[in-house]
Amino acid sequence: MIKRPPNRATPVTKNKMISFDLSTHIYRPLAQVFSFVATPENDFQWQYGTLDTSQISRGEMGLGTLFRVTGIFLGQRIESTYEVTEFVPNKSYGSRSRSGPLDSHTLYTFEMSKGMTKISMSARVSIGHLLKPGDYSVEKKIKKQYRENLALLKGVLEADRIDKT
């Protein structure tokens, strides 16, 4: 079972919170999949709309590490800062937004299953002012993007286009 990221939306803001879970199997060793996902500089290879990601805090990757993401969201260039909220090598990796247009928290968990790596993702995204009452198109786009990201991750890793260190 996936441990859900905490809901950070407050009743005062009345933001619409989207929560969903996805998973896929990747035919690569667990350590390789974890290492690739838990390296934010790889995000542009498997997350649509991501142009650049770089660590902005000092030290090794782990709890509290900060990184900046530049990307395209709903046709606009955006910058966001994220913080690593969970980091257990080869088990789990999570991050939450600290700035940017979305309030999001994503948690990835990793396990061996039938000789391959099962990656499960749990996401909570608050789209606040981007969603008008009765308009669910933004919600559908966000869920579709996360599904496509996992499919792209699987394709990148299984195509053997990364260093196997």
Side-chain angles (χ1 to χ4, degrees):
M1 176 165 238
I2 297 174
K3 181 172 71 173
R4 278 198 180 269
N7 182 343
R8 290 192 316 149
T10 61
V12 175
T13 62
K14 296 182 182 177
N15 287 344
K16 167 70 174 167
M17 184 64 69
I18 302 167
S19 298
F20 53 95
D21 301 308
L22 302 168
S23 67
T24 193
H25 288 85
I26 299 176
Y27 293 95
R28 285 289 177 252
L30 187 145
Q32 182 183 2
V33 176
F34 177 85
S35 176
F36 189 81
V37 171
T39 302
E41 291 81 5
N42 291 333
D43 290 354
F44 78 95
Q45 295 182 62
W46 66 280
Q47 293 185 13
Y48 288 112
T50 299
L51 302 174
D52 182 59
T53 305
S54 57
Q55 185 172 324
I56 57 176
S57 60
R58 294 181 185 214
E60 295 292 316
M61 174 60 70
L63 288 177
T65 298
L66 298 174
F67 55 97
R68 180 175 293 117
V69 178
T70 303
I72 304 294
F73 182 73
L74 297 177
Q76 295 191 26
R77 187 178 178 96
I78 61 164
E79 271 201 13
S80 301
T81 302
Y82 286 83
E83 175 183 5
V84 175
T85 57
E86 185 150 344
F87 190 87
V88 180
N90 301 324
K91 297 283 184 198
S92 60
Y93 171 74
S95 65
R96 69 176 172 97
S97 60
R98 300 212 13 159
S99 70
L102 298 177
D103 180 10
S104 67
H105 192 162
T106 306
L107 176 66
Y108 297 95
T109 57
F110 306 81
E111 62 183 287
M112 286 303 297
S113 174
K114 300 177 185 174
M116 60 191 117
T117 300
K118 179 180 180 186
I119 180 172
S120 300
M121 186 215 71
S122 180
R124 288 184 179 267
V125 181
S126 176
I127 53 181
H129 69 281
L130 299 174
L131 184 67
K132 295 178 176 75
D135 177 8
Y136 295 99
S137 64
V138 173
E139 180 176 350
K140 286 180 183 180
K141 286 177 186 177
I142 289 172
K143 287 180 179 180
K144 181 180 182 216
Q145 181 172 329
Y146 275 87
R147 278 192 305 275
E148 289 173 351
N149 287 348
L150 274 186
L152 187 56
L153 174 66
K154 178 179 175 68
V156 166
L157 291 173
E158 290 181 357
D160 204 22
R161 292 185 286 196
I162 65 167
D163 182 16
K164 294 180 184 161
T165 57

